Amino acid sequence: MSDLSKRWHAIDAIAISDACEAIEYGLMEAGALGTETNAAGSANVIVSGYFDLDPDVELVKSVLLDALRIYNFAPASLIDLKVREVAARDWLAEWKKDWQPVEVGRFIIAPPWSDVTEPGAIATGSSIDRVVIRIEPGMAFGTGTHETTRLCLKAIERYFRGGSFLDVGTGTGILAIAAAKMFPDARIEAVDADAEAVEIARENARLNGVGEQIDFRAGSVDEQTQSADLVCANLTGPVIVDLLPSLLGTSCGHLVLSGILDSQLEVVQSRLLELGADGFEIDQDGEWVVLVV
Ligand code: SAH
């Protein structure tokens, strides 16, 4: 980070203001290390994504169009894309300084360089113990800023009572780390289809002092997966529908499903009923839903 001669690349995406969140999400999906959003007139925004390596604009564009589709926006919501080169010191230091810890219930998600500390990290006057989770931003999905991650953290705080925990699609490892820090005696397993994410999650777990407690594995749930008291799967609606039999099979307590858009909720619910699972609770944040079976 001390290499100030290093050049970074920014992609400026001009879009309609309503699609701002979809564009921010898309830029992160396309590999941006961070984003910054500024108004551009009354109806539009400029969302800048910062990239370590020279990004392939066509590829970024196709990821952004996918993101717009996921959020139900027309392709024309993205008005223009421009690439720009920036000096490292222009944004990295600023961005780090501006990165605020994200609070979700008792959890505080902070980057490694943040100086928040555990007890009394934030003066709330409440009696519950605060748990700081340190995550290196921009490496994999799950930095605490996304609604689905926050919905899952809330469900974990509410329903995990120790024992065993399975995190399907662990990304940065954030949910497994949260469960491990809540219950140091719990048996925690975390899987991800993406082997690179598993490496990042392992590193984040070490950073949080729970590297030994979590069993990370590249892969997914299948018939061989050990059952757990709480199974958390923050994936996407269609992937959850596919995996539901295995997910239900491995959970012997609560099953937390997220990454589901409210438009996909009905399909997931009817598949659950088909499989004989009834009695679920729903929580929502924006268009994102969590379902606790
Ligand atoms: N648990 C994190 C990350 C969720 S993103 C959080 O809540 O923030 C979803 C992750 O699931 C991605 O890292 C992706 O690689 C992984 N994934 C996608 N499909 C999967 C599957 N079928 N099995 C296991 N992991 C999967």
Side-chain angles (χ1 to χ4, degrees):
M1 301 297 164
S2 58
D3 181 10
L4 292 182
S5 63
K6 180 171 172 29
R7 305 207 62 92
W8 295 77
H9 307 267
I11 285 194
D12 296 329
I14 302 172
I16 61 165
S17 303
D18 287 346
C20 161
E21 199 189 304
I23 299 290
E24 287 167 353
Y25 163 75
L27 284 168
M28 293 305 281
E29 280 293 287
L33 296 175
T35 65
E36 183 186 317
T37 302
N38 291 295
S42 57
N44 297 335
V45 282
I46 302 179
V47 186
S48 305
Y50 294 98
F51 294 80
D52 192 355
L53 302 169
D54 198 0
D56 175 343
V57 184
E58 281 312 306
L59 193 69
V60 172
K61 188 172 176 185
S62 77
V63 177
L64 289 180
L65 292 175
D66 279 347
L68 287 172
R69 195 171 39 75
I70 293 173
Y71 279 78
N72 276 322
F73 284 106
S77 315
L78 175 63
I79 298 159
D80 198 12
L81 267 193
K82 289 193 193 108
V83 196
R84 168 165 68 86
E85 225 183 52
V86 279
R89 62 180 169 279
D90 279 342
W91 75 275
L92 191 64
E94 288 302 310
W95 178 70
K96 281 190 165 186
K97 205 172 66 199
D98 287 349
W99 188 283
Q100 294 299 326
V102 179
E103 265 192 86
V104 185
R106 66 191 284 195
F107 301 111
I108 300 168
I109 301 102
W113 61 83
S114 162
D115 52 13
V116 291
T117 49
E118 221 122 57
I122 286 174
T124 57
S126 87
S127 58
I128 54 159
D129 289 335
R130 315 290 302 192
V131 175
V132 174
I133 303 171
R134 293 190 187 274
I135 300 286
E136 181 79 56
M139 304 291 285
F141 188 102
T143 52
T145 55
H146 201 270
E147 289 85 341
T148 59
T149 309
R150 295 202 297 253
L151 286 165
C152 288
L153 285 170
K154 282 206 274 177
I156 291 167
E157 179 174 356
R158 186 126 170 234
Y159 294 109
F160 189 44
R161 292 287 165 264
S164 49
F165 182 96
L166 171 67
D167 181 8
V168 183
T170 193
T172 55
I174 185 166
L175 304 179
I177 294 168
K181 291 202 83 168
M182 272 175 82
F183 292 97
D185 295 329
R187 180 176 62 76
I188 318 265
E189 191 181 351
V191 299
D192 200 294
D194 176 0
E196 224 174 289
V198 172
E199 279 314 306
I200 290 161
R202 260 201 199 104
E203 190 49 45
N204 279 321
R206 269 196 292 269
L207 187 69
N208 285 279
V210 291
E212 298 290 306
Q213 199 191 335
I214 308 174
D215 181 14
F216 288 103
R217 191 165 55 78
S220 191
V221 271
D222 50 40
E223 276 61 51
Q224 266 81 60
T225 314
Q226 275 197 59
S227 60
D229 297 315
L230 193 146
V231 177
C232 198
N234 188 10
L235 302 161
T236 61
V239 175
I240 284 175
V241 168
D242 273 357
L243 294 181
L244 257 188
S246 315
L247 288 171
L248 284 168
T250 47
S251 50
C252 44
H254 291 98
L255 171 62
V256 175
L257 303 168
S258 194
I260 304 168
L261 285 163
D262 53 10
S263 58
Q264 301 166 335
L265 182 61
E266 234 177 87
V267 181
V268 177
Q269 275 178 316
S270 60
R271 184 76 181 120
L272 275 169
L273 290 171
E274 250 171 56
L275 293 166
D278 53 4
F280 28 79
E281 205 170 277
I282 292 163
D283 189 12
Q284 187 159 359
D285 186 348
E287 64 262 73
W288 296 99
V289 177
V290 67
L291 228 155
V292 184
V293 186

